[in-house]
Amino acid sequence: MEHLITKSRLLALLLLLGIAFTGCYNDSEEELYPEIPGSQCDLTSVTYSSTIAPIMATNCNSCHSGASASAGVVTNTYEGLSIIAKNGKLYGSVSHASGYSAMPQGGAMLSNCNLDKIKTWVDAGALNN
Ligand code: HEC
């Protein structure tokens, strides 16, 4: 009889562990996939190197790097990007604001989360961080 009780306790413990791990899995899913609708966009640790540069690499650098950069706009270096960040053209273009060239040219608008990250970085002074 005692043997049986120990077994069911073990079973209960395993069940609890299972629930605990499922909880952890869901938590990290939100962090790993911030683009899932309804999940949160993390704007607490936006930096040039870890946040903005990768967005530029994916969406802008193919046309805006090197000597033949479109419109003379360079997005693959901090020096180039900080110019359009500070004169308003970066956020104006990606948010498709009137009076700016809508970017990425011929492509889909950036996700709301990426737009918010760019705005956060620009508003904080477009630092080289
Ligand atoms: C497929 C090529 C292409 C991609 C990708 C692209 N651009 Fe452009 N971009 C251009 C061309 C061509 C122009 C010049 C014509 C115009 O203004 O529409 C331009 C113009 C601009 C201008 C306006 C410059 C001015 O003086 O008015 C800005 C700012 C800009 N791009 C930023 C970006 C950003 C930021 C991205 C990424 C989100 C991006 N572009 C992606 C081709 C591209």
Side-chain angles (χ1 to χ4, degrees), residues 55-56 59-64 70-71 73 75 81 84 89-90 93-94 101-106 110:
I55 297 173
M56 294 301 123
N59 302 286
C60 317
N61 295 354
S62 57
C63 299
H64 292 288
S70 293
V73 167
T75 57
L81 190 64
I84 58 165
K89 286 183 176 179
L90 173 60
S93 67
V94 293
S101 305
M103 292 291 144
Q105 195 189 61
L110 301 186

Side-chain angles (χ1 to χ4, degrees), residues 40-59:
Q40 294 195 338
C41 179
D42 185 8
L43 301 174
T44 55
S45 54
V46 169
T47 64
Y48 170 70
S49 57
S50 70
T51 318
I52 305 303
I55 297 173
M56 294 301 123
T58 308
N59 302 286

